[in-house]
Every structure is written in C-alpha cells, then in structure tokens.
C-alpha cells in the first residue's frame, strides 16, 4: 500500500469518527430529552397521554432506525432495551432478551470495564471506550462505546450507550501499523543509503547505511527534520568534485525526473551510485526519495574483468591454435589471428560465412556436419579434419569442439580449437611406411636366420659324421692323444650347433608378439618339472600357487625353463635346492627363482644378461640363455634383476605385467 493511499484512508477514517461522534451526541441528547419529557408528562397530566404516546412513538422511531447498535441497561448491566442493530451486533435473536452485558466482557477486560463503570457513574458519561466482547453467538468482537447515565430527578436510574463494531477497523489499523513498522525496519536495514524528504526538503526518514556512507556519526533518527539542501552543502566536501556534486544535484532537482545510476566518486576512492525519485500525487510534488549505494567493488571488479578480458583476448588472438566460434547454423561469429593465418582468409572474409562451405574438403563435409549435430546435443570431442586453404593447399587439422552455452545454460553454438598437424601427419605417414618396411625387413631377416641356421648346421653335421667315421675306422691305429683330439672336435661341433640354435631362438623372440593368450604359469611349471631332467641331489619346490598371465605361452615356458636349467647347472653343493615363488602387486606379479649354487660376484651382475657373456666356460653353456630370459621378460613389459652371494647362492627376480 502506498503512502498516498494510507493518507487517504486515515483522513476518511477521521471524518467518519467525527461524524459518528456528532451523531452519537445528538442521539444521546435527544434520547435524554425525550425520556425526561416522557417522565414529566406521566406525572403532570393523564390528559396529555396521547401527546406522550406520540412523543414515545417518535423516540421509538429514532431508537429503532438508528444505524448503530443502541442499548439501555440498568445500573447492574442488565439489558432493558435494544434496537435491531444491537441484536445483530451482540448475537441475540430478538430485542427483548434478558441478558447481562457484563457476561459478554472478555475475562481479561473485566477489571478495565469495572473501572470504566465507575467513571461513567462519577462523571455521567464515557466516550471512546473500546472493549473486547464475546457475543451471545460466541464471536469475539472489539466494540467502541459512547455511554451516558439516565437520571430521574437527578437520580441515576439507567445507562444508555451506542455500540459500534470496530473489529475490522482495528484489524486494518493493526495491519497498517505492522506494515509501517516493517517498511521502517526494511528501510533502516537496507544495504543502500536512503533519504526521504518532504516537499519542503526536510528529512522525513533516513537509515543507518546513509549515515555510514557519508561518515555521519549520529543516529538516523536525529537527522529527521533537518534541511537537505544545507546537509548537501556540508556533505559535498566528501566528493572529489564538490561543485560537480552540487551542480548535478540541482539539475536533477529542477527537472523533477527519475534518475537512475548517477556515479559519484568520493575522496576516499569509494564510488557511489545515486538514484532519485520524485514523489508526486496528482499534480502536486509531495517529496523526494534519494538512494545511495556503494558500488566500488562492482566497478573495480568490472574494470578488472575488462583488463582480464583484454589480456586473454590478446592471448587467444596470438596463440598458435586457431580459435573459431560459430552459432547454431554454423555461421562464423569470431576467429582469432592464428586461424586467419591457418586458412589464408581474412577475418572479414570469414565472419558470417558458414564454416562447412569454405573450409573442409568435400570428402570431409559429412564429418563436420555430424560433429555440428553432436555439438547441439552437448557432446565434446576431438577429431581430425582435412581443410583447403584459400591458396588451395590441403592441411590436416586436429579439431577440439565443444558446445557454447549462454548464462541460462542454453546451447547457442559451438567453439572449436584447431591445431595444424599437417607436419605431424606427414611424419606419421612416413613412420607407418618405415614400420611396414621394417616389418618386411624383419620377416626377411627372420627367414634368412632360419636359412643360415640350416645352412650352417648342415656342414657341421657332415663334419661331425666324417669325424666319427674316421675315429671308428682308425681307432686301432690312433693313439690316445689323437682320440682325445677327435673327442674335442666332436664336443666343439656340438657346442657350435647349440650356439646356432640359441642365436636363432634369440633372434626369433618378438616375431610372434601378437600370439598372446591367458597362460596358467602353475600348469606350465608342473609340466616343465615332469619333462626336464633334474639330478637327484637337487630339490625343486614351488612356494605358492602361481597366477594366470596374459602372454606368449611358448616364451613364458622358455623363460622358466632357462632359469631353472641355469640354476641346475651351477649348483655345486651335495644337497641343492631351487625355490620358486611370487608376490602380487597392483599392476604386476613379481617372481623369484632362488638356488644355493655357486653364486655370482656383484661386479658381474650387469654382464650376465648380455649375449655371449658366460662366466663359466662349460661345453653346455653358450652365454645366450640369460639374454633370452631378459628379452622374454621385456617382451611382457617386465624387469629382471638378481641378488647373489658367492658360494652361497643366487636369486633371480623378474616381473610380468598383469
């Protein structure tokens, strides 16, 4: 409800109260006068009975037709007479009910009513008395009473009163008070400084924020009634341009127009936003409303955003990535300088054009259309695209596309970051070509190794056969030294054949890299222990059940076979042992093969995995076995190492990826 409406209601209420009071006084006076005349007529002359009846009839007409409730009670509160309005107000059924009005008074009001009765008897009348009643039909009402004593020759005999229901009026009044209180509390606690002036430029209302903004060290209530023009003169010193502050204030006041968003800079570097609203009723100016808000943080933040915007715009414009923004129809809205260089088109040529119409190759148009549809569905991804520059050059781009949203979260287009990968693509194509050539070369080399192995073994076998025949044909003629020499030749030939076999195995590792399956290591080990020969003085034990590995079954079998065979070869104790166990980790399994053999000095730990490095010159050792083991472990993304003490034993550790 506006202040104007409140003022109108108050004036109407006041006029109504005044009119009712005048009517009540007239009625009371008339009723008293008629009652006294009636009593005098009764005592003076029976002959005047008709006149008395006529006068009583007039009184009854007034009594019955009065708008407000009218009640006559005896001095104890019993109802003697009442009109229809009183019947309706007090919840009765007819005008002649016997009832004591004191019973209607709310218990909380009894004491106050008793005090008012005393005033009524002492002074002869009581006005503007409000009381809370519970009517005969159990309704709670607030009534307004004007009452007076009826006298008989100076002796009080009864009381009369006009009763009005003011329940709604009281409720409206309380609502108005509550509304005014809420409005006042709201204004006092607003985050904006507020000054309300009347038509004479006097302060009607202000709040705490106003005194805070203008460094006024008094309570806002103490400013009420002060002259705003004088206050403005004093406060002008708080601004960087005092004269500009006053001049602008006079301009605004003269125009009597609403002003929103005036900015004022204070000497303490605060920035205030000032709003002005004239309060007009009809053609008359009734006052002025000024509001002041501290917008220093907002303005500083806005300037900071502008600086950041310019900084990042400069970065985006000059970074080595092509940036493009398009709307939902694929029309280009923005490009940076890098994209201009990447395409050969100018910014003017690109803005407003549909990207799919000039950039991608015809063969890749469908890819771009599909990706644009996915952007509208909120999907983000990267993909490759071939484009043709303005000069006709074909370039390869890596495009990272994402939907573009407005502040409401609605998709309004998409943003693409483009990286020219033409050189990388060319290198990739060269790499693929080289890999194919290398694969072909490896196949040829592998085939050549088999051929060489076969060709080398054939003469070795021939030499071995010839040597055997010579030794058998001439065994009676050869002395001991010659036979030993023939045995040495045979041993050397066997070692040479084993060496060729091991070299072929070593060169073949990795050629069947894709031939991988789930391999049960536990089963492989059990099969090996059954097939391989193990001397009686050596005990092989497996500490726990071994896992299943994804790998090449043959290579894994060869891995364990070589390690176990290597341990058997170099156990020099009367009672030997080989312990095999494993541990499980997050990404891999760790295996160990432990023996109590000769051991290996630490200075040889790195050499033993190199091809042809054998620490013990045995005829059954070619120096390739541990090299094959290392290559198989690395083929399965693992590592191998050892711990060893000479004359105590050796433990080989290796990992295999899960």
């Amino acid at each position: 409800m506006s202040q104007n409406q409140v003022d109108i209601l108050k004036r109407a209420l006041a006029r109504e109260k005044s009119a009712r009071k005048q009517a009540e006084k007239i009625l009371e006076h008339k009723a008293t006068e008629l009652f006294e005349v009636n009593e005098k007529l009764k005592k003076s002359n029976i002959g005047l009975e008709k006149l008395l009846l006529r006068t009583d009839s007039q009184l009854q007409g007034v009594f019955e037709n009065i708008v407000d409730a009218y009640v006559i009670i005896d001095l104890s509160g019993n109802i003697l007479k009442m009109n229809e309005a009183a019947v309706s107000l007090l919840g009765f059924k007819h005008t002649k009910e016997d009832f004591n009005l004191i019973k209607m008074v709310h218990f909380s009001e009894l004491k106050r009513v008793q005090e008012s009765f005393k005033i009524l008897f002492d002074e002869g009348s009581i006005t503007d008395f409000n009381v809370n009643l519970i009517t005969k039909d159990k309704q709670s009402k607030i009534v307004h009473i004007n009452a007076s004593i009826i006298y008989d020759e100076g002796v009080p005999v009864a009381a009369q009163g006009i009763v009005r229901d003011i329940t709604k009026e009281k409720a409206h009044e309380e609502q108005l008070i509550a509304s005014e209180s809420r409005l006042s509390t709201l204004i006092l606690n607003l985050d904006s400084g507020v000054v309300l002036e009347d038509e004479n430029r006097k302060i009607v209302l202000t709040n705490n924020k106003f005194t805070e903004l203008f460094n006024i060290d008094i309570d806002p209530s103490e400013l009420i009634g002060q002259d705003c023009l004088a206050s403005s003169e004093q406060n002008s010193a708080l601004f960087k341009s005092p004269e500009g502050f006053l001049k602008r204030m006079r301009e605004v006041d003269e125009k009597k127009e609403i002003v929103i968003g005036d900015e004022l800079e204070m000497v303490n570097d605060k920035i205030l936003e000032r709003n002005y609203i004239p309060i007009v009723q009809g053609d008359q100016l009734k006052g002025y409303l000024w509001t002041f808000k501290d917008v220093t943080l907002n303005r500083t933040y806005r300037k900071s955003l502008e600086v950041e915007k310019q900084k990042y715009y400069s970065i985006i414009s000059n970074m080595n990535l092509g940036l493009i923004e398009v709307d939902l129809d694929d029309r280009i809205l923005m490009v940076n300088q890098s994209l201009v260089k990447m395409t050969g088109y100018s910014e003017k040529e690109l803005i407003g054009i549909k990207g799919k119409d000039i950039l991608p190759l015809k063969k890749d148009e469908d890819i771009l259309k599909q990706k644009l549809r996915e952007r509208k569905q909120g999907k983000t991804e990267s993909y490759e695209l071939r484009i043709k520059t303005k000069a006709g050059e074909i370039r390869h781009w890596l495009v990272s596309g994402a939907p573009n949203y407005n502040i409401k979260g609605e998709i309004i287009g998409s943003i693409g970051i483009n990286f020219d990968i033409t050189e990388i693509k060319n290198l990739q194509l060269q790499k693929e070509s080289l890999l194919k050539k290398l694969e072909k070369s490896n196949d040829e080399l592998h085939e050549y190794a088999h051929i060489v192995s076969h060709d080398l073994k054939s003469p070795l076998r021939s030499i071995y056969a010839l040597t055997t025949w010579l030794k058998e044909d001439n065994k009676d003629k050869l002395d001991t030294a010659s036979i030993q020499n023939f045995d040495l030749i045979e041993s050397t030939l066997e070692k040479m054949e084993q060496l060729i076999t091991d070299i072929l195995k070593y060169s073949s590792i990795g050629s069947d890299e894709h031939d991988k399956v789930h391999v049960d290591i536990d089963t492989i080990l059990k099969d090996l222990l059954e097939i391989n020969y193990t001397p009686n003085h050596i005990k092989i034990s497996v500490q726990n059940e071994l896992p299943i590995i994804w790998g090449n079954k043959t290579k894994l079998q060869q891995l364990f076979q070589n390690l176990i065979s290597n341990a058997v070869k170099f156990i020099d104790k009367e009672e030997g042992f080989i312990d095999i166990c494993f541990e499980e980790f997050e990404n891999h399994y760790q295996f160990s093969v432990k023996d109590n053999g000769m051991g290996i000095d630490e200075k040889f730990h790195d050499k033993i995995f190199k091809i042809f490095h054998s620490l013990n010159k045995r005829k059954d050792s070619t120096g390739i076995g541990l090299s094959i083991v290392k290559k198989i472990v690395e083929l399965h993304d693992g590592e191998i190492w050892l711990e060893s003490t000479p004359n105590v034993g050796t433990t080989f550790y290796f990992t295999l990826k899960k």
Side-chain angles (χ1 to χ4, degrees):
M1 183 181 291
S2 67
Q3 186 62 42
N4 185 30
Q5 292 174 320
V6 170
D7 291 342
I8 292 171
L9 288 174
K10 284 183 175 180
R11 288 196 294 272
L13 185 61
R15 286 196 298 271
E16 185 179 347
K17 284 182 178 180
S18 177
R20 287 180 181 277
K21 285 181 181 180
Q22 291 177 4
E24 288 166 5
K25 286 181 179 180
I26 293 170
L27 182 60
E28 289 172 15
H29 179 72
K30 187 68 175 176
T32 303
E33 187 179 62
L34 288 174
F35 186 79
E36 290 175 353
V37 169
N38 188 35
E39 290 298 314
K40 287 178 181 179
L41 287 174
K42 281 183 181 179
K43 292 178 181 180
S44 62
N45 198 326
I46 296 174
L48 297 176
E49 186 175 344
K50 290 182 180 180
L51 179 60
L52 179 60
L53 290 172
R54 187 168 62 253
T55 303
D56 187 57
S57 176
Q58 292 174 354
L59 177 61
Q60 185 69 22
V62 173
F63 182 75
E64 290 178 354
N65 294 303
I66 190 171
V67 175
D68 290 321
Y70 180 73
V71 181
I72 298 176
I73 60 173
D74 63 19
L75 298 181
S76 298
N78 295 308
I79 297 175
L80 300 176
K81 203 166 189 178
M82 58 182 166
N83 63 357
E84 291 294 338
V87 171
S88 175
L89 172 64
L90 300 176
F92 293 112
K93 293 182 179 179
H94 50 78
T95 58
K96 296 191 177 183
E97 287 196 42
D98 292 331
F99 196 80
N100 191 302
L101 278 183
I102 303 300
K103 294 180 180 179
M104 287 189 178
V105 178
H106 194 273
F107 69 88
S108 63
E109 303 266 43
L110 282 173
K111 186 176 180 181
R112 196 166 65 87
V113 170
Q114 289 170 358
E115 291 173 353
S116 67
F117 258 94
K118 188 175 182 303
I119 294 171
L120 177 63
F121 293 144
D122 292 345
E123 299 181 6
S125 66
I126 187 170
T127 58
D128 295 331
F129 179 71
N130 296 338
V131 64
N132 191 354
L133 299 181
I134 305 298
T135 64
K136 189 75 180 296
D137 55 356
K138 306 302 181 184
Q139 292 187 43
S140 177
K141 292 184 179 181
I142 301 173
V143 297
H144 175 274
I145 299 173
N146 286 326
S148 61
I149 295 294
I150 300 173
Y151 297 93
D152 182 9
E153 295 183 355
V155 178
V157 293
Q160 62 181 350
I162 295 176
V163 184
R164 286 190 297 106
D165 185 356
I166 61 168
T167 306
K168 291 183 180 179
E169 185 180 309
K170 205 70 177 174
H172 291 157
E173 186 177 337
E174 289 175 357
Q175 288 176 0
L176 182 60
I177 293 170
S179 178
E180 288 178 348
S181 176
R182 286 194 296 270
L183 181 60
S184 177
T185 303
L186 176 63
I187 291 174
L188 285 172
N189 294 284
L190 275 177
D191 193 40
S192 298
V194 176
V195 177
L196 180 62
E197 308 171 7
D198 62 16
E199 62 269 27
N200 299 315
R201 302 303 303 272
K202 302 294 183 183
I203 295 177
V204 175
L205 180 66
T206 186
N207 67 349
N208 295 317
K209 194 64 179 180
F210 175 78
T211 58
E212 179 189 325
L213 290 174
F214 288 89
N215 299 320
I216 302 171
D217 193 20
I218 59 174
D219 191 89
S221 60
E222 296 181 43
L223 293 175
I224 295 174
Q226 288 193 16
D227 190 322
C228 273
L229 293 175
S231 299
S232 300
E233 293 281 350
Q234 294 175 357
N235 293 331
S236 64
L238 299 173
F239 297 91
K240 288 185 177 179
S241 175
E243 188 55 41
F245 168 74
L246 294 173
K247 181 181 178 183
R248 177 59 178 157
M249 197 167 188
R250 285 192 290 268
E251 288 176 358
V252 171
D253 187 36
E254 286 172 5
K255 291 182 179 180
K256 303 291 188 296
E257 296 175 351
I258 294 175
V259 175
I260 303 294
D262 260 3
E263 282 196 6
L264 307 169
E265 290 190 45
M266 303 183 76
V267 292
N268 60 1
D269 292 325
K270 277 186 180 179
I271 301 174
L272 298 185
E273 183 181 86
R274 176 176 60 185
N275 300 322
Y276 168 81
I277 302 173
I279 301 171
V280 180
Q281 182 181 343
D283 296 331
Q284 294 184 339
L285 184 66
K286 291 297 182 180
Y288 313 83
L289 177 66
W290 299 86
T291 64
F292 301 86
K293 187 174 183 180
D294 186 349
V295 294
T296 310
L297 185 61
N298 289 346
R299 296 299 182 267
T300 305
Y301 183 61
R302 185 189 298 170
K303 289 178 182 178
S304 175
L305 281 180
E306 286 296 326
V307 171
E308 291 296 311
K309 180 180 177 182
Q310 289 300 321
K311 181 176 76 174
Y312 285 109
Y313 182 78
S314 177
I315 292 172
I316 289 170
S317 296
N318 296 288
M319 67 182 182
N320 196 31
L321 295 171
L323 184 67
I324 184 169
E325 180 185 350
V326 299
D327 61 17
L328 292 173
D329 293 325
D330 189 36
R331 294 193 181 279
I332 300 173
L333 303 176
M334 186 274 291
V335 293
N336 69 346
Q337 194 59 36
S338 292
L339 192 118
V340 169
K341 292 178 181 178
M342 288 165 65
T343 61
Y345 293 98
S346 67
E347 184 177 355
K348 188 176 181 181
E349 289 175 312
L350 291 171
I351 299 298
I353 302 298
K354 289 189 177 183
K356 63 181 177 60
D357 291 341
I358 62 170
L359 294 177
L361 291 181
K362 291 293 182 183
K363 294 180 180 179
D364 289 0
E365 279 185 5
D366 291 339
I367 296 175
L368 187 58
K369 289 177 182 177
Q370 174 63 25
K371 299 305 177 184
L372 288 171
R373 285 195 293 270
E374 291 175 356
R375 289 301 83 73
K376 293 178 182 179
Q377 297 169 3
K379 190 174 180 181
T380 301
E381 64 176 339
S382 298
Y383 55 94
E384 289 185 20
L385 188 70
R386 291 175 299 174
I387 68 107
K388 182 186 285 188
T389 66
K390 187 177 181 180
E393 184 183 2
I394 306 300
R395 306 293 293 179
H396 292 266
W397 284 6
L398 178 64
V399 182
S400 178
N404 188 19
Y405 298 90
N406 61 15
I407 58 174
K408 295 180 180 179
E410 301 166 338
I411 297 176
I412 57 173
S414 61
I415 295 174
I417 298 175
N418 308 281
F419 181 52
D420 192 328
I421 58 169
T422 306
E423 283 71 25
I424 298 173
K425 197 73 178 175
N426 291 338
L427 288 173
Q428 185 180 352
L429 293 173
Q430 291 176 21
K431 178 184 173 183
E432 290 174 359
S433 176
L434 287 172
L435 285 174
K436 288 179 181 178
K437 290 179 181 179
L438 183 61
E439 185 178 354
K440 183 179 179 182
S441 177
N442 284 339
D443 291 340
E444 291 173 352
L445 184 61
H446 185 61
E447 185 178 351
Y448 177 72
H450 278 82
I451 294 170
V452 169
S453 172
H454 180 269
D455 290 347
L456 286 175
K457 284 182 178 181
S458 293
L460 286 177
R461 288 170 184 154
S462 298
I463 294 170
Y464 186 86
L466 290 171
T467 304
T468 303
W469 294 342
L470 282 171
K471 188 173 71 170
E472 288 178 354
D473 292 344
N474 299 283
K475 63 182 177 180
D476 295 333
K477 300 176 184 179
L478 296 173
D479 57 12
T480 303
S482 298
I483 292 173
Q484 287 177 347
N485 287 333
F486 274 109
D487 290 340
L488 183 61
I489 292 171
E490 290 175 348
S491 175
T492 304
L493 290 171
E494 288 175 1
K495 189 172 182 179
M496 187 66 180
E497 184 175 3
Q498 183 62 43
L499 181 62
I500 292 170
T501 301
D502 288 347
I503 291 173
L504 181 61
K505 287 180 181 178
Y506 184 80
S507 65
S508 300
I509 294 173
S511 61
D512 51 356
E513 183 180 350
H514 300 293
D515 187 19
K516 290 184 177 181
V517 293
H518 286 99
V519 181
D520 189 335
I521 303 298
D522 205 60
T523 302
I524 280 182
L525 203 56
K526 288 176 181 177
D527 293 342
L528 278 175
L529 296 179
E530 289 180 3
I531 296 171
N532 282 8
Y533 167 72
T534 304
N536 294 329
H537 71 287
I538 297 175
K539 181 181 179 182
I540 300 176
S541 61
V542 181
Q543 299 296 329
N544 43 18
E545 187 176 348
L546 301 178
I548 295 174
I549 298 290
W550 177 258
N552 186 296
K553 184 176 180 180
T554 304
K555 296 294 186 290
L556 290 172
Q557 185 175 0
Q558 192 175 5
L559 166 64
F560 283 94
Q561 182 176 355
N562 282 9
L563 285 173
I564 294 170
S565 299
N566 190 72
V568 169
K569 284 178 189 177
F570 298 105
I571 290 177
D572 56 354
K573 311 294 189 301
E574 291 183 3
E575 291 186 3
F577 69 83
I578 299 173
D579 287 340
I580 302 170
C581 62
F582 90 103
E583 290 183 66
E584 183 175 359
F585 293 90
E586 184 177 356
N587 297 314
H588 64 274
Y589 297 109
Q590 179 177 300
F591 297 85
S592 64
V593 179
K594 182 178 181 181
D595 65 56
N596 63 338
M598 298 169 58
I600 304 170
D601 195 298
E602 188 175 355
K603 64 182 179 181
F604 298 116
H605 286 190
D606 291 334
K607 293 182 178 180
I608 61 173
F609 293 112
K610 294 180 180 179
I611 192 167
F612 302 131
H613 278 72
S614 178
L615 301 181
N616 298 86
K617 303 301 180 181
R618 296 165 55 106
K619 71 173 186 178
D620 57 348
S621 176
T622 62
I624 298 179
L626 289 178
S627 301
I628 292 174
V629 165
K630 186 173 186 294
K631 197 168 184 180
I632 292 172
V633 169
E634 290 175 348
L635 181 67
H636 290 81
D637 299 322
E639 297 177 358
I640 186 167
W641 68 98
L642 73 148
E643 294 176 359
S644 182
T645 304
N647 301 319
V648 176
T650 303
T651 303
F652 281 91
Y653 295 95
F654 62 94
T655 62
L656 297 176
K657 189 176 179 182
K658 282 189 177 180

